[in-house]
Amino acid sequence: MGHREDLLEGAKRCLLEKGYARTTARDIVAASGANLASIGYHYGSKDALMRQAVIASTEEWGAGLARMPAGDEEARDADPLDRFAAVWDRVLQRIATEPQFIAAQVEVLGLLPRDAGLREAIAEVLPEGGEELVAAFDGVPDTEADAETVRVVGSFYRALLTGLMVQSLLTPDRMPTGQDLAMALRRVTTGEVPGRA
């Protein structure tokens, strides 16, 4: 790897270990083995490098969701709510086992109203996350979903994912299961109350 890649990897490590706002240029240099001047040369500024680190780590995490096994053919043909529950169980497992990543993501969300550069950088790549989520939950390549489905359904999945990330930091011992989420969705969409005749 060259200095540019080393710096990005170092910034991603710092993002997880120190957080976005607390990472300094010297922290990145120490984590990457590069020199201080190379940050300006390759990225223009420490802030630009950290924005790229946020995007790269988020894309890697999202790609991991897209690679999650959708199950066998029988699972893909199962009831949509059962598939919904099974995929959320896998997502929730990732959330539970990657608390540093989740904390960094939630920190960045809190900075968006006051950091226009960060907001613009994330907004530029945000639609791609919807495609990955739709593909992961539907068990089909994102090329098979139309643009409006990706926009609407991807936005729904993203909202749920963001809320679950925040909840995992607040009350990790009271996280819902995939079945809990499916039951809630059934209740909201049909009015069914579980256990009521």
Side-chain angles (χ1 to χ4, degrees):
M1 286 197 303
H3 281 289
R4 182 175 177 81
E5 294 82 12
D6 291 340
L7 285 166
L8 183 59
E9 289 303 312
K12 289 185 331 191
R13 275 196 303 280
C14 289
L15 180 66
L16 296 180
E17 293 168 9
K18 298 184 72 82
Y20 185 92
R22 291 183 52 221
T23 295
T24 66
R26 293 192 187 285
D27 292 330
I28 297 169
V29 167
S32 67
N35 61 60
L36 201 54
S38 62
I39 292 175
Y41 177 78
H42 290 291
Y43 290 93
S45 70
K46 187 268 294 186
D47 290 339
L49 171 55
M50 287 302 292
R51 286 192 293 266
Q52 190 58 46
V54 168
I55 290 167
S57 62
T58 303
E59 287 175 341
E60 290 167 9
W61 202 83
L65 289 184
R67 287 191 305 269
M68 286 189 319
D72 55 26
E73 197 64 39
E74 185 177 309
R76 280 192 294 275
D77 293 335
D79 174 72
L81 279 177
D82 290 340
R83 185 176 61 245
F84 177 89
V87 175
W88 273 115
D89 278 335
R90 291 193 294 273
V91 173
L92 288 161
Q93 179 61 32
R94 284 202 66 197
I95 288 173
T97 58
E98 300 178 51
Q100 286 182 308
F101 172 80
I102 302 305
Q105 292 294 301
V106 172
E107 176 195 4
V108 165
L109 292 174
L111 297 172
L112 294 178
R114 294 178 298 284
D115 188 332
L118 182 59
R119 188 171 57 249
E120 289 167 13
I122 290 175
E124 195 173 300
V125 297
L126 190 61
E128 295 171 17
E131 293 170 3
E132 290 170 348
L133 288 169
V134 170
F137 279 91
D138 291 354
V140 297
D142 57 359
T143 55
E144 293 180 27
D146 65 86
E148 186 63 6
T149 298
V150 169
R151 185 187 73 74
V152 174
V153 178
S155 180
F156 169 74
Y157 290 142
R158 216 177 6 253
L160 215 64
L161 178 61
T162 302
L164 289 166
M165 287 179 167
V166 172
Q167 188 175 347
S168 76
L169 298 176
L170 294 171
T171 55
D173 55 331
R174 294 198 309 260
M175 292 294 287
T177 65
Q179 279 299 325
D180 293 336
L181 294 173
M183 182 175 62
L185 187 58
R186 180 180 291 114
R187 170 68 173 94
V188 168
T189 58
T190 68
E192 274 182 44
V193 178
R196 183 184 294 172

